[in-house]
Amino acid sequence: MLLIHCPYCEEDRPEVEFVYGGEAHIARPLDPASLSDQDWEHYLYIRRNPRGRHHERWRHTHGCGRFFNAVRDTVSDRFEQTYKAGEERR
Amino acid sequence: MMRFSGLNLIAQAFSGHQSWPEQWPDKAPKAAYDVIIVGAGGHGLGAAYYLAAKYGITNVAVIEKGWLGGGNTGRNTTIIRSNYLYDESAHLYDHAVKLWDGLSQELNYNVMYSKRGVLMLAHNVHDIQSFKRHIHANRLNGVDNEWLSPEECQAYCPPLDISPNARHPVLGGALQRRGGTARHDSVAWGYARKATALGVDIIQNCAVTGIRRGPDGAVQGVETERGFIGAKKIGVSAAGNTSVVMNMAGLEFPLESYPLQALVSEPVKPIFPCVVMSNTVHAYISQSDKGELVIGAGTDQYTSYSQRGALHIIEHTLAAICEIFPIFTRMRMLRSWGGIVDVTPDRSPILGKTPVPGLYVNCGWGTGGFKATPGAADLLAHTIAHDAPHAINAPFNLDRFRNGRLIDEAAAAAVAH
């Protein structure tokens, strides 16, 4: 089980308190009507799925309830850092 | 290739079984091949075999970064079934089930396909309605599937607790009698042996590090740890690592890789006659011929390439197994492990051509690729040989994520499978 640092609670808590939120920094299109099929495909379905450094969202569901971002190595599952939602990609 | 037979077994006994020839040679790569398959799992080895056996394309190499059959082929729970809801899926998976029949004879290798039946339990009204819809859809597609009452479920699988006050009450079940299990390693070994006998090279411990493309965009070959190997056509059958391989060709895929765990108990005498699955509580169980209970869990929640998962996932699965089969509460678990499964947004595979000329893909089987092994292999071989998909795998193209023609088995089953 992963031990995850919540940047809001500033505590290391067990994975069962959190829900995974998928890849981070995927911006919702500002003008959906102007999107091509290719843009929609990219926004909805294409994922980086890297072997290594991954930016991802987590939600501290059984804690503060807030979304935050994390950088995790997908080979070792080790967290490099977590940071608050809205902050720049690291 | 020495043919396996009872007579040969007796003949070899005279030399104390010391003179059996090796089943497949480990080859050094040639400079170039007609076709390269990336990934020596059941799907990749099978594709090489069908390319040679059905289409006469024998100048083929299967390149594997680890050892043959050491990925998800060696890590799954060996369940075979084809009771999928949508027409496209039913045709695809039933194509595989039809090939499982007779595969042992075709390969002269016992893959131990056992039609012991796959029973999917209904625990609530939604399950009943959903399974009955599946049953009707399946029967219209010529796929056997039938409804059993709770008593019939227990008669088919005696360890099942059908008492009405159970934590997960059994309200009935959908049974596919042609479903069952096979010996996972044997499938890879059988394809490997037969393919090499037809001229295919299997190159293990040789990771692909790049895909070289020419000025016209078409593939020219693969860069590997043992140098460049040329090829006119490349078929990628790399399961959880498909995104990584596709990135080498400059493609981004609609895939995410998750750990999926399984575990086995200590071996016991035969007690469990079939396969039982419960989608609602995310557990499936069968008994191997060695006597171990083979138990599968759901995926972990986060993407990973680590080939291991968290204990709370299998704890959740075992809790459900113990509720449904109280007889197993004191069984001890022997081993657990994880495999990395590549999951698509609609939980249906991608099997066909890619935007890169000469590059073909077989991926996205998610948590249920083993059952499809012979079918996926056959269709990948067809697609490579004809440079066009077969009618069965044509709907499973990459374009569906752009044009919206998804085959949404995730919505149909409400779980990944």
Side-chain angles (χ1 to χ4, degrees), chain B residues 49-50 53-54 99 101-109 194:
Chain B
Y49 163 70
Y50 289 116
K54 286 178 79 170
L99 286 173
D101 251 336
L103 191 62
S104 294
Q105 287 74 21
E106 183 177 351
L107 298 179
N108 180 227
Y109 210 99
K194 201 66 186 272

Side-chain angles (χ1 to χ4, degrees), chain B residues 22 68 74 102 124 176 221 315 361:
Chain B
E22 64 178 353
L68 169 170
N124 53 44
Q176 183 176 25
E315 191 181 358
V361 71

Side-chain angles (χ1 to χ4, degrees), chain A residues 20 41 49 51 72 74 77, chain B residues 241 243 303-305 402:
Chain A
Y20 183 66
E41 178 193 25
N49 198 25
R51 190 183 169 91
R72 183 176 52 92
T74 58
D77 286 339
Chain B
N241 283 295
S243 292
T303 61
S304 177
Y305 290 85
R402 185 167 303 179

Side-chain angles (χ1 to χ4, degrees), chain A residues 25-45:
Chain A
H25 302 295
I26 297 176
R28 195 180 174 87
L30 293 173
D31 181 14
S34 70
L35 254 56
S36 69
D37 286 354
Q38 189 175 349
D39 295 335
W40 276 119
E41 178 193 25
H42 209 269
Y43 167 64
L44 289 173
Y45 300 130

Side-chain angles (χ1 to χ4, degrees), chain A residues 1-2 15-16 18-20 22-23 37-38 40-42 44-52 54 56 58 72 74-77, chain B residues 65 240-241 243-244 247 252-258 300-306 308-312 345 398 401-403 406:
Chain A
M1 189 185 298
L2 305 177
E15 181 196 334
V16 285
F18 298 83
V19 171
Y20 183 66
E23 188 178 324
D37 286 354
Q38 189 175 349
W40 276 119
E41 178 193 25
H42 209 269
L44 289 173
Y45 300 130
I46 301 293
R47 295 293 176 262
R48 289 181 55 241
N49 198 25
R51 190 183 169 91
H54 188 227
E56 59 196 20
W58 286 86
R72 183 176 52 92
T74 58
V75 178
S76 66
D77 286 339
Chain B
K65 72 169 176 173
N241 283 295
S243 292
V244 177
N247 285 346
E252 288 185 301
F253 257 56
L255 289 174
E256 288 187 301
S257 298
Y258 291 92
D300 279 66
Q301 57 175 339
Y302 50 84
T303 61
S304 177
Y305 290 85
S306 65
R308 68 174 80 100
L311 187 65
H312 69 270
L398 193 54
F401 299 99
R402 185 167 303 179
N403 61 31
L406 303 183

Side-chain angles (χ1 to χ4, degrees), chain B residues 359-389:
Chain B
L359 185 64
Y360 307 85
V361 71
N362 168 42
C363 69
W365 290 94
T367 59
F370 176 74
K371 65 173 83 70
T373 303
D378 180 45
L379 295 167
L380 178 60
H382 178 104
T383 306
I384 292 173
H386 293 92
D387 191 33

